[in-house]
Amino acid sequence: MCMSKEHTSCCEDKLSSLPDEILIMILDKLDPRTTITTTVLSKRWLDLPRRQYTCYDLSVYEILPPRYHRLKKITVEAKAGYEAEKKAHNLTDSTAFKDKYDRFYAIKDQYEQWMWKVHLLTPILQCYERLAMRRYVKRVNAFLLPPNNVQQLSIQKLRLQTFSTSSFNQWITAAVGRWGVEDLEIIIENSYLPYDFRLLDGCQNVRLKRLVLSNCCHYGRTPLFFQRLTTLTLCDKSSRIHIVYDILINCVQLVDLRLKNSSYHPQAYRFNFPASRLKNLQLDKCSIWKIYLTSLPCLETFAFRGRPAKLHYGEVPQLRHVSLDFLESGDNGDNDNLRRKSTYALGKFFKGTPPPLEYLVLQLRGHPVWIEPTAIPSRLNHLKKLFVANVPTSWDTFWIFILFAAAPFLQALQVHFDNNSEKASAAGSLDVQVEQPHQHLHLREVVVVGFDGAAWQTGFVKRIMRASRWLRRVHLLDGHVMEAEERGLVDLEVVPHRREWHECERSEVLEELTDGTGFPQRKIVLE
């Protein structure tokens, strides 16, 4: 009899027996995600008032166990090894092997090893995903689809990261139409889900201003409520160019558009939307070979990251800031239909009507020297600040002086040399043969990041100093650059490294810089 009482005492739900006041105090101590999970415990927990959070991040990956992530990492690493082997055998170049069977047998063992791991682990991963989705669907349903008598939520920002599910349509309709979400981010993993956003046109509570879609997009004509969007980000399969064109035509209030991981498109991207109010356009890791900014009258900022693409400027009278991050790996990529030139003329990035640029961030990266140092067709007369970053130390600096000469009213020049790349070769000797640049009467500051006192770096700085009569400050430091946390692709920030200069070494560098330039040492900061 005593044993039975003890067993009953252990199994009793003592937490639910607490008064509402105590339970509310407990809920106030929990984070939003844990608070949501308590709604599935019982009807009593569902009806309890909670602290009014405004931002919610509901990800299915929070439910998946650590073992899932370990197995997933194994498959990703196996595929990465297979892709590396393909590049090592030059299999991405279709001309390297005359017969497709020769290309296959060159890495047959690596391919079979990769496929064996994929076939072995895929059923296990899918089992974990199904179990996690059952719990995830219950949580999100309890949060977004509660009974009508539940207290009205105030949701300003909502992020949903999920696998494919039949409940998806109900979630979007409830989030936007019922709860009035203003900032919505939807990420679909391992699949693509269409959603007819026109279903929300009849809703009265739509306050959506910012929308992020990854592997999810509407079909049919552009919904009416899209016209109220001010910020839109389309990722992966959501960023198809015909969808982008349709949105830019109809969403006249849109001021910020970002495309990420867009698949290869055989035609050039042509942005010809004279009625658009777009101010910020960012293309991140998009497979594009040519971009025409034909007519975007309000565009102020343009940023692009990916393989080199030719740029043609048209009617962009407000364009002040351009950031270009080009990486040429030297192969044709995974898509054999994507044909790339081995070299690019520097002028290909400044075709058409010269925009009134004031700030240009340029990153030209890659192992081979793929820039042809040709003249820029038009002068950048409005350019005040130039930031050239991640320059491999194996490259010559001829093309930097071409940019320098094309901007006669430049006020600030920043150059970052990537010391983690291969060390400078004999290509650096090309600098001494370059014609002396024209005098820059407006340049006031020069910053060189990654400066280690090498002779070719010192010669580069001296050439800039000789061409800048009114230069006020030269800052030489070791360090690296990274994307600015708030601005992303648009701008970079310098992260300095502490370097201990020997006094003799410091004096030698300073004397070399001032010899023949007449520049006072006190205006040179070496750290």
Side-chain angles (χ1 to χ4, degrees), residues 375-442:
I376 295 176
S378 56
R379 293 165 69 90
L380 306 175
N381 290 327
H382 295 84
L383 193 63
K384 297 179 180 178
K385 184 177 180 180
L386 174 63
F387 195 161
V388 182
N390 286 308
V391 180
T393 55
S394 58
W395 287 29
D396 65 79
T397 54
F398 189 12
W399 61 277
I400 299 180
F401 286 109
I402 293 177
L403 277 174
F404 183 56
F409 297 96
L410 196 66
Q411 297 179 6
L413 173 64
Q414 292 179 282
V415 180
H416 164 244
F417 295 107
D418 183 10
N419 290 323
N420 293 324
S421 61
E422 292 187 6
K423 294 302 178 182
S425 63
S429 63
L430 291 174
D431 293 351
V432 298
Q433 302 173 11
V434 180
E435 183 181 353
Q436 182 70 21
H438 300 290
Q439 286 292 321
H440 277 63
L441 303 180
H442 300 270

Side-chain angles (χ1 to χ4, degrees), residues 432-496:
V432 298
Q433 302 173 11
V434 180
E435 183 181 353
Q436 182 70 21
H438 300 290
Q439 286 292 321
H440 277 63
L441 303 180
H442 300 270
L443 190 65
R444 298 294 183 265
E445 181 183 37
V446 173
V447 178
V448 178
V449 185
F451 185 83
D452 58 7
W456 67 273
Q457 290 183 342
T458 305
F460 171 80
V461 176
K462 284 187 68 173
R463 290 177 51 77
I464 299 294
M465 293 168 62
R466 286 173 178 167
S468 310
R469 182 184 303 177
W470 303 105
L471 190 62
R472 295 176 182 173
R473 181 172 177 264
V474 176
H475 191 183
L476 311 175
L477 70 155
D478 191 14
H480 68 279
V481 297
M482 59 184 297
E483 290 182 4
E485 196 168 320
E486 296 182 354
R487 308 201 65 188
L489 292 181
V490 175
D491 204 357
L492 298 172
E493 60 183 23
V494 176
V495 181

Side-chain angles (χ1 to χ4, degrees), residues 41-60:
L41 295 178
S42 67
K43 291 184 178 179
R44 185 187 176 199
W45 284 88
L46 179 62
D47 296 334
L48 287 173
R50 291 166 169 78
R51 183 191 303 173
Q52 291 299 315
Y53 296 100
T54 59
C55 301
Y56 297 88
D57 185 355
L58 309 179
S59 174
V60 68

Side-chain angles (χ1 to χ4, degrees), residues 14-33:
K14 295 183 179 180
L15 187 61
S16 295
S17 63
L18 295 174
D20 288 353
E21 292 77 9
I22 302 298
L23 293 178
I24 293 172
M25 290 178 60
I26 295 174
L27 289 174
D28 286 343
K29 302 294 183 182
L30 301 177
D31 60 273
R33 186 181 293 109

Side-chain angles (χ1 to χ4, degrees), residues 208-472:
L208 193 65
K209 296 296 182 183
R210 179 180 180 270
L211 180 62
V212 178
L213 299 176
S214 178
N215 289 325
C216 165
C217 198
H218 76 94
Y219 52 87
R221 62 175 176 82
T222 303
L224 294 178
F225 88 93
F226 264 35
Q227 297 178 6
R228 294 191 288 268
L229 287 176
T230 58
T231 303
L232 178 63
T233 301
L234 302 177
C235 308
D236 301 306
K237 294 181 180 179
S238 300
S239 58
R240 294 171 179 172
I241 191 60
H242 68 279
I243 297 175
V244 175
Y245 288 166
D246 190 47
I247 289 174
L248 285 173
I249 292 173
N250 295 282
C251 302
V252 293
Q253 300 294 331
L254 194 66
V255 297
D256 191 328
L257 175 63
R258 308 182 185 198
L259 308 180
K260 297 183 178 180
N261 300 319
S262 177
S263 57
Y264 170 65
H265 184 69
Q267 303 298 325
Y269 276 29
R270 299 179 183 272
F271 295 94
N272 186 13
F273 305 97
S276 173
R277 300 181 185 178
L278 194 68
K279 294 183 178 181
N280 179 33
L281 176 60
Q282 297 187 25
L283 309 178
D284 188 5
K285 298 178 181 177
C286 297
S287 297
I288 309 171
W289 67 283
K290 187 178 289 187
I291 303 170
Y292 286 86
L293 300 178
T294 306
S295 181
L296 290 172
C298 299
L299 188 66
E300 298 176 358
T301 302
F302 173 72
F304 178 86
R305 173 166 59 188
R307 302 190 66 174
K310 300 176 183 178
L311 295 178
H312 192 282
Y313 300 94
E315 186 185 345
V316 282
Q318 303 298 323
L319 186 59
R320 298 291 187 270
H321 188 162
V322 170
S323 177
L324 305 176
D325 183 358
F326 291 142
L327 171 61
E328 177 58 71
S329 57
D331 57 62
N332 289 331
D334 298 330
N335 192 333
D336 287 337
N337 295 323
L338 190 61
R339 294 291 180 247
R340 298 285 186 175
K341 292 179 62 176
S342 57
T343 60
Y344 285 79
L346 187 60
K348 294 294 184 181
F349 309 137
F350 303 95
K351 304 288 285 185
T353 305
L357 290 183
E358 295 182 357
Y359 184 21
L360 173 63
V361 179
L362 190 59
Q363 302 180 72
L364 307 182
R365 299 177 291 128
H367 170 64
V369 181
W370 51 269
I371 277 294
E372 298 175 11
T374 56
I376 295 176
S378 56
R379 293 165 69 90
L380 306 175
N381 290 327
H382 295 84
L383 193 63
K384 297 179 180 178
K385 184 177 180 180
L386 174 63
F387 195 161
V388 182
N390 286 308
V391 180
T393 55
S394 58
W395 287 29
D396 65 79
T397 54
F398 189 12
W399 61 277
I400 299 180
F401 286 109
I402 293 177
L403 277 174
F404 183 56
F409 297 96
L410 196 66
Q411 297 179 6
L413 173 64
Q414 292 179 282
V415 180
H416 164 244
F417 295 107
D418 183 10
N419 290 323
N420 293 324
S421 61
E422 292 187 6
K423 294 302 178 182
S425 63
S429 63
L430 291 174
D431 293 351
V432 298
Q433 302 173 11
V434 180
E435 183 181 353
Q436 182 70 21
H438 300 290
Q439 286 292 321
H440 277 63
L441 303 180
H442 300 270
L443 190 65
R444 298 294 183 265
E445 181 183 37
V446 173
V447 178
V448 178
V449 185
F451 185 83
D452 58 7
W456 67 273
Q457 290 183 342
T458 305
F460 171 80
V461 176
K462 284 187 68 173
R463 290 177 51 77
I464 299 294
M465 293 168 62
R466 286 173 178 167
S468 310
R469 182 184 303 177
W470 303 105
L471 190 62
R472 295 176 182 173

